[in-house]
Amino acid sequence: MSTTATLPLADRTQSLVGSVIDSSTSLLAAQKHDIVRFAMGSPAAEAIPTEALAEVAGSALGVDRADSFDYASTEGDMGLRTALVEALEGTSDATALERVTITSGGMQGLDLACKLFVDPGDLVSVESPTYTNGSATALSYQAELLEVPVDAEGMVVDALVEGAERAGRKPTAIYTVPTFQNPSGSSLSLPRREQLLEVARQWGAVVIDDDPYGLLRFAGQDVPSLHELAAGDPLVSSVRTFSKIIAPGLRVGWIDCDPSLQQLLINAKQAMDTCTNLPAQRLVEGFLRGGHLTEHLVASRSAYRERKEAMHDALTEHFGDIARWTDPEGGLFVWVTFEPAVDTEALFEVALAEGVAYIPGNAFSPSRRFPDALRLCYASTPPARIHEGVARLRAAVDRLG
Ligand code: PMP
């Protein structure tokens, strides 16, 4: 018998499902052989703006800056909050100071949103496939999940309505990754965004608008964010992060929601981590004030366009006969579906031995609806290595037989 079986664990531990995505970081760190890493959704080492960050660190975290190592205000350091509001001016995420609370990454924004809105047994709708950590967060508050299919135009809102009818109750929260979705890469079209907001208003359901990739468009036409379309409707809380637009290790993000919610966010955050890491907030503030974000986004978009094209070319060359894949206009991910079916969980070990890593499709569905799909992150790998990785993946599929 394991020790935990004898301990008086809380019931909620049964709903703590973890994340296959996050666990892949330690799994891959333990490997000694060369692996092309399409697993984690992180920018490449060479895409981290280290020069600008080092320059900013010199003044924000220098020898005379003991103040940068103190506790910060729970709602976020005022310097970062004001720099952020200025940096977002003119974007689809434009906002006001009183709406912004700084979080420890996007994950804490999701946790706070669920803490405020999800009671045990509540129905929460998630996309299918969805970002595992988002559905896991709702589960950690003991939600019941309604999985809603995604197509090339994002979440199928009609299916959300039908799913609620079948369930005989309305979701209290609708969780969506509307732009360059993780994992499918697809984006909610404008009509669907409007329809989603209408449905949420009819139901009085909150929308958790998790959009870390919206600023990483490299093709197609801009679509307004749910935040912009909602125009201050308190039902919509927008979770954002610097992880994909500066660096994930900073662990700095923000939640943009109705000002009436801020005190509750503060109360909840004070019971979690008091404040977001101040040195990291000061780094981000300096990065924004130095005007580096605009420049960095231009470079990131162009690198990701090139990498997505390399991924598509390599998939066409090696998988044209046995798979189809999505065509994202931004973000980091391509979603591949095998036809005829390939068991992508069984494939994982073989692929790892061949020297390539990805995330199996079932990791993105609480009811494991995608056994024959997988997610590839093209953003972390230069084009030539992308070709190598996809060739290794094909060798693994052939070996699996
Ligand atoms: N939401 C989505 C859709 C994501 O893809 C991620 C990161 N993979 C997050 C939230 C979490 O962001 P962070 O790393 O800043 O916690």
Side-chain angles (χ1 to χ4, degrees):
M1 192 187 276
S2 76
T3 315
T4 50
T6 63
L7 293 173
L9 288 174
D11 287 348
R12 86 176 68 82
T13 57
Q14 286 168 24
S15 317
L16 298 178
V17 294
S19 163
V20 174
I21 310 174
D22 292 1
S23 301
S24 73
T25 302
S26 348
L27 177 78
L28 293 180
Q31 307 299 314
K32 298 281 178 271
H33 63 298
D34 175 52
I35 297 173
V36 180
R37 289 156 197 252
F38 296 140
M40 281 304 279
S42 30
E46 71 277 7
I48 304 293
T50 48
E51 265 178 45
L53 288 170
E55 181 191 311
V56 167
S59 51
L61 308 178
V63 284
D64 56 345
R65 293 302 305 273
D67 61 301
S68 290
F69 294 87
D70 202 350
Y71 287 111
S73 314
T74 304
E75 65 273 23
D77 195 36
M78 188 54 100
L80 174 58
R81 289 171 69 226
T82 49
L84 175 60
V85 170
E86 280 163 30
L88 293 175
E89 242 171 61
T91 73
S92 202
D93 282 340
T95 187
L97 195 61
E98 64 276 15
R99 295 186 56 90
V100 171
T101 302
I102 302 298
T103 59
S104 301
M107 277 313 303
Q108 190 179 56
L110 294 180
D111 194 71
L112 287 165
C114 288
K115 192 163 226 169
L116 262 52
F117 293 116
V118 178
D119 272 325
D122 277 359
L123 192 62
V124 173
S125 76
V126 301
E127 289 153 347
S128 187
T130 185
Y131 173 52
T132 332
N133 299 31
S135 53
T137 306
L139 282 176
S140 77
Y141 287 97
Q142 295 162 282
E144 286 173 25
L145 301 181
L146 172 66
E147 286 188 61
V148 182
V150 167
D151 65 16
E153 281 186 67
M155 186 204 307
V156 182
V157 182
D158 285 340
L160 167 65
V161 175
E162 287 157 20
E165 275 164 13
R166 263 199 315 278
R169 57 192 179 130
K170 296 162 191 153
T172 44
I174 300 169
Y175 171 59
T176 178
V177 183
T179 317
F180 319 131
Q181 198 236 18
N182 182 358
S184 71
S186 70
S187 290
L188 202 58
S189 63
L190 181 56
R192 291 243 184 112
R193 284 175 195 236
E194 284 165 344
Q195 190 191 359
L196 180 65
L197 290 174
E198 202 180 295
V199 168
R201 285 176 182 135
Q202 266 171 23
W203 288 346
V206 296
V207 176
I208 302 176
D209 157 37
D210 181 16
D211 196 342
Y213 305 105
L215 293 172
L216 293 172
R217 175 178 289 282
F218 50 66
Q221 297 296 314
D222 278 337
V223 182
S225 66
L226 281 175
H227 160 79
E228 183 178 350
L229 291 171
D233 188 327
L235 283 176
V236 177
S237 290
S238 296
V239 172
R240 301 290 186 265
T241 176
F242 289 103
S243 292
K244 316 294 170 165
I245 55 175
I246 307 182
L250 290 165
R251 312 306 305 136
V252 182
W254 71 100
I255 183 162
D256 179 330
C257 61
D258 192 73
S260 64
L261 292 170
Q262 194 179 49
Q263 190 56 51
L264 285 176
L265 290 175
I266 290 172
N267 296 354
K269 196 170 152 64
Q270 286 174 344
M272 284 180 195
D273 65 354
T274 299
C275 64
T276 295
N277 176 315
L278 185 55
Q281 292 193 61
R282 292 274 162 94
L283 272 181
V284 174
E285 178 194 344
F287 191 82
L288 299 180
R289 289 206 190 281
H292 300 292
L293 183 63
T294 316
E295 196 182 307
H296 181 60
L297 284 174
V298 170
S300 304
R301 289 184 195 116
S302 127
Y304 295 163
R305 179 190 304 111
E306 193 189 10
R307 287 167 187 213
K308 189 215 83 173
E309 280 164 11
M311 181 63 89
H312 267 203
D313 290 349
L315 286 169
T316 306
E317 185 183 334
H318 296 285
F319 285 94
D321 54 337
I322 56 165
R324 59 196 157 80
W325 46 88
T326 54
D327 187 9
E329 294 183 336
L332 314 188
F333 307 110
V334 168
W335 179 250
V336 178
T337 306
F338 288 97
E339 273 174 4
V342 168
D343 177 345
T344 58
E345 282 173 316
L347 177 67
F348 184 81
E349 285 295 321
V350 185
L352 203 59
E354 287 287 341
V356 60
Y358 61 86
I359 304 289
N362 270 345
F364 300 97
S365 160
S367 66
R368 302 170 55 76
R369 291 187 188 175
F370 302 97
D372 52 355
L374 54 82
R375 186 193 79 175
L376 298 174
C377 170
Y378 46 79
S380 329
T381 310
R385 284 275 287 172
I386 288 180
H387 279 271
E388 174 62 26
V390 174
R392 290 180 189 179
L393 189 59
R394 178 66 207 228
V397 170
D398 292 343
R399 244 179 75 194
L400 189 70

